[in-house]
Structures are given as structure tokens and as C-alpha cells.
Amino acid sequence: MAAEHAPNASEYIVHHLTHLNSLGHKQAALVDWTVFHLDSLFWSVTLGLLAVLILSRAAAKATSGVPGRFQAAVEILIEMVESQSKSIVHGDRTFIAPLALTVFVWIFFMNAMDLLPVDLLPNIWAWMFGMAGHDSSHAYMRVVPTADLNATLGMSLGVLLLCIYYSIKIKGLGGWIHELFTAPFGSHPLLYPINFAMQMIEFVAKTVSHGMRLFGNMYAGELIFMLIALMGAAWAGTFGSGLLWLGGVFAGTIWAIFHILIITLQAFIFMMLTLVYIGQAHETH
Amino acid sequence: MNLNATLFAQLVVFLILAWFTMKFVWPPIMKALDERAGKIADGLAAADKAKTDLAHAEKKASDELRKARESAAEFRSGAERQVAQLIEEARAEGVRIVNAAREAAEAEAGVASQRAKEALREHVAVLAVAGAERILRKEINAQAHAELLTQLKSEL
């Protein structure tokens, strides 16, 4: 935050929606492949490591005897993922089921960053940034990696690559290319271009919607938390602002409780779609 | 909302994390789960077996008990019969002994009274002779009248 004046609502939100990137200032071009979002990378890698650390701790201590509560909780999760993947993917699941588990736990952790107070980590970062001798009003920090389109599209692109990999693995390269041109409308030279176009649209639509769905939900959720924070920040000693503050507490509570559902649901949906898309790669048209 | 290289970094992290889970998280937990499922299945089978075994054992025990009860009843009735017989025999023996004793006593009593009678006779005879001797001191010769005295004795 700037020390000289408090930011107005629009400045506050724009500040909160600006990524800490490798440029040091807001990325101007819509697409620039030389830039990294350092905050998204830091939080997603940290949370990913936390997720696999927790899971591998459970795995290291797993016993076939009476499980403790922690082990039982992880087992419930794994049984859930295992039964879902078994019902959706017909084939070898040695990689796919663990992938689904990783997706679920990792995305759940990244989404859960939304439940931290919106200003907590950014303010800590601004303080550290200021201590390091920089202008703390340019300390950008977004802590919800799944509210970054790059992160969600990165994952859905990973799923796309896996779909292609499994398509080739199951059907063979020739079989897959044959399917690209003959499905869904049938094998006729006139239909080849249409079939191919449909297949491409399908792949693009699947991947983009897969990434966009998660991004959109988390981005909107984050934005609403910011608006609620603005309501709380309206307190200025008057009766009207007091009401706004109360409204902020009330709305914040409601939205946070509702968000517990959203973060879990979105993680689950991303996992299910991952399984569905990879499952489709296992089936011939 | 800009696209940049974060996307590919995220893709790589995604695949690495999934690989890590596949390698180090999934197999041990699934192994533990399968082993536990096996243990539970074994336990249930063992419980079933124990249940049938128990039913068998109970049936056997009740059979044994019934048999034991029957043989005990048999023993008891046999023993009662034997006891009754023993009592009967003992009673008969007792009666026999009492009778024998009574007979012996009677016989002994008869002999004793006979002997007493005879002794009395002797005494009476001696007294009679002594009295007669005193009265008839001169006329009576013991030797001459011994036959007379014997005759007298037998008449007493």
C-alpha cells in the first residue's frame, strides 16, 4: 500500500489483481512467453510440495493394521479417487489414478488459499518488499494460483498431452490418426476434413473449458472476497459505514462458508474431468 | 489475465507432482489397503469357521452330556438294585444268625438245666442217704443198699 494516501477501491482491486512477475511491472502484452508469474509459481510449487509431502507421510506410515485418524483420512481420499478412476477409465491406471489424486489434493490446496484473508499474505509481502528497500506500493502478490489462467491452462494442457499420449498408446499412432479423420461422422473422403475439424474443436474446447472453468470460479471468488474486504474497509465512524462494515462481516462469513464448498467442488470437478478426458482417450469411437 | 510462460512451468510441475504421487504415494497406501482387505477377509473366514466349530463342539458336548447322564442313571439303578439285594441278604443272614443263636442258647440252657437237675438229684440223694443214715445209723449199709439208692435217685 502506498504510505502517502489510501488506495481507492479501483486501485485496491487492480493492485490485488496484479501478479508478481519476472518483469517487475504489469505485463503489457496479452501473451508474452518470456514472462513468468513468480507468485503463482511460488505458491503452486509450495502447495504442490506440501500436498505430496502430506500424502507421502501417510504413505510412509501406512500399515495394513488398524489405521490412525490421519491415515484413515488419506485412505478415504484415495479410495474415493480409486473408485472414481476405476469407474471412468477402463485400462491401466497405474499413472492415471495417482494423477487424479494429485490433481484433487493440489488444486484443493491452491483453492484453499482463497480462504486466507485477502490482504494477509499481500501485506506481509509488501512489508518484506519495503524492508528490502523497494517501493512497497509496487509489491504485488496473488496467493491463489488457480485464479491465474496460466496455472489452470497449464494443468489442462497437461491433461491434453496425456490424452494424446494415451490415445496413441491405446490405439497406436495410425489408429489415432485414423480416428481423427473418421470420427465422429464416419469414414468417407468427403467427411475427412469435417471430422478432423470437429476433433480439433473438441480438443480445444475440452482443454480451454477445463482450464477456464477452474480459473473463472476461483478468480470470481477472489474478486468477491476483495469486494467484501472493501465493504469492511468502508468503516469511517459514521452510521452508514458501520452498516457497511457489518455487512462486510456478514457477507465475508457467508461467502467464506460457501467457498469451502466451491474450492472442494472445483477441485473435484477438475479431477473428474481429467479422468473423463483421459477415459475418452481409452475408448475408440 | 495475461498468458505467459507460467503456463508451461505449471504444466511441468503438474506432471512431476503426478509422477511423484505415482511413485511414492499411491503404491504403499494401496498395498496397505489391499493387505488390510485381505486380513479382514481372513478374519471373517476364521470367524465363520470358529462359529461352525463352536456349533460342532456344542453339539458334541451336549451329546456327551446326554450319554453321561444316561450311563449315570443306569449306574444308579444298578447300584440301587445291588444295594437292595445286599440289604435283603444281610437281613436274611441276620435272621439266620439270630435263630442260630437262639437255638444254641436254648440248647445250652437245656443242658444247663439238665446238669443242675442232676446235681440237685445227687445232693438230694446224698441228703436223703445222710438223713437216713443218721436215722438208721445201724441198719443201713451203704454198700448193701447202693442199688436201692440208685433206684431212688432215678425216680427223683
Side-chain angles (χ1 to χ4, degrees):
Chain A
M1 300 299 132
E4 52 271 22
H5 69 96
N8 64 29
S10 142
E11 281 169 351
Y12 173 79
I13 285 185
V14 167
H15 185 268
H16 264 288
L17 289 180
T18 307
H19 277 285
L20 172 70
N21 59 24
S22 51
L23 289 173
H25 56 82
K26 195 169 167 18
Q27 181 183 334
L30 185 61
V31 179
D32 185 345
W33 299 123
T34 63
V35 180
F36 285 100
H37 283 160
L38 299 178
D39 47 3
S40 294
L41 279 178
F42 173 76
W43 289 113
S44 69
V45 170
T46 304
L47 293 168
L49 290 179
L50 183 69
V52 293
L53 188 80
I54 290 174
L55 291 177
S56 57
R57 263 179 67 84
K61 292 197 292 183
T63 109
S64 57
V66 179
R69 287 182 167 185
F70 171 60
Q71 193 192 332
V74 174
E75 282 173 3
I76 288 169
L77 197 62
I78 287 198
E79 293 270 28
M80 184 274 287
V81 173
E82 167 73 1
S83 63
Q84 294 290 357
S85 70
K86 193 185 270 178
S87 66
I88 294 172
V89 180
H90 308 292
D92 178 24
R93 287 178 288 108
T94 31
F95 180 68
I96 298 166
L99 170 88
L101 177 70
T102 316
V103 162
F104 181 70
V105 179
W106 190 25
I107 291 181
F108 176 79
F109 277 19
M110 291 195 286
N111 290 353
M113 293 299 283
D114 232 357
L115 293 174
L116 294 175
V118 278
D119 280 314
L120 179 66
L121 292 170
N123 276 4
I124 291 173
W125 170 242
W127 178 76
M128 284 164 61
F129 204 65
M131 292 300 271
H134 302 289
D135 179 4
S136 63
S137 65
H138 289 112
Y140 301 113
M141 172 61 67
R142 291 186 63 184
V143 298
V144 188
T146 42
D148 178 356
L149 187 57
N150 291 290
T152 60
L153 274 185
M155 290 187 287
S156 64
L157 211 60
V159 174
L160 175 69
L161 290 183
L162 289 171
C163 283
I164 295 173
Y165 168 75
Y166 280 106
S167 290
I168 294 174
K169 189 184 167 195
I170 305 291
K171 300 157 192 165
L173 185 60
W176 183 54
I177 291 173
H178 179 259
E179 189 184 284
L180 281 183
F181 286 96
T182 58
F185 295 123
S187 180
H188 188 282
L190 277 179
L191 291 173
Y192 287 169
I194 303 170
N195 283 332
F196 185 72
M198 290 300 288
Q199 290 274 356
M200 288 304 107
I201 290 170
E202 192 185 330
F203 276 123
V204 171
K206 272 199 240 176
T207 304
V208 171
S209 70
H210 197 193
M212 278 287 193
R213 176 180 298 104
L214 178 59
F215 161 74
N217 273 283
M218 300 324 295
Y219 188 83
E222 199 186 15
L223 204 56
I224 289 174
F225 273 121
M226 286 172 202
L227 295 174
I228 291 168
L230 278 174
M231 279 172 84
W235 170 246
T238 62
F239 179 69
S241 66
L243 278 186
L244 267 180
W245 183 85
L246 273 181
V249 171
F250 180 70
T253 309
I254 298 291
W255 185 242
I257 291 171
F258 184 52
H259 220 61
I260 295 172
L261 172 67
I262 298 203
I263 60 175
T264 318
L265 193 63
Q266 287 304 322
F268 183 70
I269 288 174
F270 200 97
M271 178 196 87
M272 290 303 281
L273 285 176
T274 301
L275 288 173
V276 166
Y277 293 160
I278 293 179
Q280 281 176 353
H282 281 68
E283 275 147 26
T284 44
H285 281 276
Chain B
M1 221 203 317
N2 314 93
L3 284 180
N4 56 38
T6 311
L7 196 153
F8 302 108
Q10 186 80 7
L11 198 166
V12 172
V13 173
F14 174 71
L15 294 178
I16 290 173
L17 289 180
W19 170 83
F20 182 90
T21 307
M22 174 189 76
K23 203 80 185 158
F24 300 109
V25 173
W26 196 265
I29 294 181
M30 284 318 272
K31 190 165 150 270
L33 287 175
D34 290 346
E35 271 172 16
R36 190 176 319 135
K39 270 190 196 171
I40 291 170
D42 289 354
L44 289 177
D48 266 352
K49 193 175 166 296
K51 209 187 272 174
T52 53
D53 282 0
L54 180 65
H56 265 285
E58 267 171 2
K59 195 177 168 311
K60 202 170 162 194
S62 73
D63 279 357
E64 289 292 330
L65 199 60
R66 192 173 44 73
K67 245 183 256 170
R69 210 172 277 146
E70 277 169 10
S71 70
E74 214 169 282
F75 268 123
R76 197 187 306 129
S77 65
E80 272 166 5
R81 228 179 300 124
Q82 206 171 343
V83 165
Q85 196 184 337
L86 280 178
I87 290 173
E88 200 52 50
E89 277 172 7
R91 192 173 288 147
E93 176 78 4
V95 168
R96 195 178 57 72
I97 287 170
V98 167
N99 285 346
R102 195 188 305 134
E103 275 164 22
E106 277 170 2
E108 205 172 321
V111 168
S113 87
Q114 194 64 33
R115 200 177 296 138
K117 269 183 198 160
E118 289 202 0
L120 202 57
R121 260 182 218 140
E122 286 282 357
H123 276 293
V124 169
V126 170
L127 279 178
V129 170
E133 212 175 46
R134 255 184 229 160
I135 303 166
L136 308 170
R137 187 147 314 250
K138 288 174 187 167
E139 274 149 76
I140 291 172
N141 183 350
Q143 272 144 357
H145 297 95
E147 201 182 324
L148 187 67
L149 282 172
T150 308
Q151 201 182 337
L152 190 68
K153 258 194 277 181
S154 70
E155 275 170 20
L156 275 170

